[in-house]
Amino acid sequence: MTTPLDDVEFLARSAHRVHVLETLHRGATTRGDLRDRTGIAQATLTRTLDDLVERRWARKRGRVYELTPLGVVLAVEFADLLETVETMQRLQSLAEWLPAFPFDLRLLADATVTLPTDTDVLAHVGRVERLLDGADSSWVLAGSVFHESLERQHRRSTGRGQRQVAVLSAAALERARSDPELRQLAADLLASGCVDVYRYDGTVPVMLGLVDEVALVAPLDESGVPRGLVESTDPTVREWVATTLREYVEGAEPVTATAFTG
């Protein structure tokens, strides 16, 4: 008598079994068609089909192989497991800094994850900028400001009329005030009427954004440095980001151009 773990191990240790199971789940077919669709050698395919039939996961009707009801359930559940593991693997590099999401992490299965690389340590920051460049509106929460980012936002707002709401930490705003170039850029942005800025005096543990219909989450390390970027269009994820941003706005104070011109 095998245990459930025995069957999981039996299936998982052979990519051929998984491939044939997935292919049969898309529809009954012949051995020859299976060979053409999977590229598995004839002898290996024969053994694989025999294995699935022996466990009652598949059956043969004439020349056609198909999954049994047990095989259908297994194919669906195993595909879900693989998708879950793949999601965890993609988020693994950020696990230490991810916030405590109130939603099922499997909702991030289709998320795009951008991480810094040896050749592009600001790959994730660049990705945010490219998303913002093509957006009509954005809403961000950030604990820091960068000269290049502020310049690009100046062009987006004054040149294209992009609407932005920004909730910035007190430290980020103070840095902008203390730098003459940033101070002028910030004053011009606020005077344009395209940007609403709020000052948040508490800790900003994560960078968040809504860029058109895309939700952005950039986990921060202990020094406040973004470690990567997760972007999602899942409705639940977007709603959580929107709700969180609204909460930060409610706990912040509006900032006017006089804060940078006085």
Side-chain angles (χ1 to χ4, degrees):
M1 186 69 179
T2 60
T3 68
L5 187 59
D6 290 332
D7 277 351
V8 171
E9 182 182 8
F10 177 78
L11 178 60
R13 71 169 182 252
S14 170
H16 293 318
R17 293 183 192 125
V18 175
H19 198 179
V20 171
L21 189 75
E22 292 173 341
T23 304
L24 288 177
H25 186 233
R26 291 193 285 270
T29 188
T30 64
R31 187 196 307 263
D33 187 49
L34 269 174
R35 184 179 64 248
D36 293 340
R37 291 165 64 183
T38 63
I40 300 173
Q42 181 67 43
T44 303
L45 181 58
T46 297
R47 289 196 302 271
T48 301
L49 286 168
D50 288 345
D51 288 338
L52 298 184
V53 170
E54 181 181 354
R55 274 180 160 70
R56 306 294 192 272
W57 297 341
R59 61 191 169 206
K60 186 180 181 183
R61 293 183 183 275
R63 297 177 58 249
V64 173
Y65 286 88
E66 64 181 9
L67 292 186
T68 65
L70 297 179
V72 171
V73 172
L74 181 63
V76 171
E77 294 298 325
F78 199 76
D80 287 346
L81 175 61
L82 288 179
E83 186 176 77
T84 298
V85 172
E86 181 184 7
T87 301
M88 298 305 102
Q89 288 177 333
R90 291 165 57 237
L91 295 174
Q92 197 168 29
S93 297
L94 298 174
E96 182 179 350
W97 304 286
L98 285 175
F101 294 121
F103 52 80
D104 191 326
L105 282 180
R106 285 174 291 188
L107 293 178
L108 296 175
D110 295 327
T112 299
V113 179
T114 305
L115 300 172
T117 66
D118 291 338
T119 56
D120 189 358
V121 295
L122 294 177
H124 50 313
V125 177
R127 174 63 179 168
V128 173
E129 294 296 342
R130 288 191 296 276
L131 288 169
L132 287 169
D133 283 344
D136 293 322
S137 64
S138 60
W139 189 358
V140 298
L141 166 70
S144 58
V145 292
F146 304 97
H147 192 282
E148 182 182 350
S149 297
L150 203 55
E151 282 187 327
R152 290 176 74 156
Q153 185 55 43
H154 187 275
R155 291 195 294 270
R156 295 182 199 113
S157 298
T158 59
R160 293 179 44 232
Q162 183 190 90
R163 288 290 306 161
Q164 185 182 77
V165 177
V167 183
L168 302 175
S169 68
L173 287 170
E174 187 54 40
R175 177 173 183 271
R177 279 177 53 83
S178 63
D179 183 301
E181 291 187 29
L182 289 178
R183 183 185 178 100
Q184 187 59 54
L185 282 171
D188 290 347
L189 270 173
L190 285 164
S192 73
C194 293
V195 179
D196 295 325
V197 176
Y198 294 84
R199 173 192 177 111
Y200 184 74
D201 291 325
T203 301
V204 175
V206 61
M207 293 179 67
L208 297 176
L210 277 179
V211 180
D212 288 342
E213 297 301 312
V214 181
L216 308 181
V217 181
L220 307 177
D221 64 16
E222 315 75 45
S223 302
V225 176
R227 304 296 303 195
L229 175 69
V230 179
E231 55 188 275
S232 173
T233 56
D234 179 87
T236 300
V237 178
R238 289 205 314 267
E239 181 56 33
W240 174 76
V241 170
T243 299
T244 304
L245 287 170
R246 284 192 291 268
E247 291 172 352
Y248 272 95
V249 167
E250 291 170 0
E253 296 291 330
V255 177
T256 64
T258 57
F260 296 92
T261 58

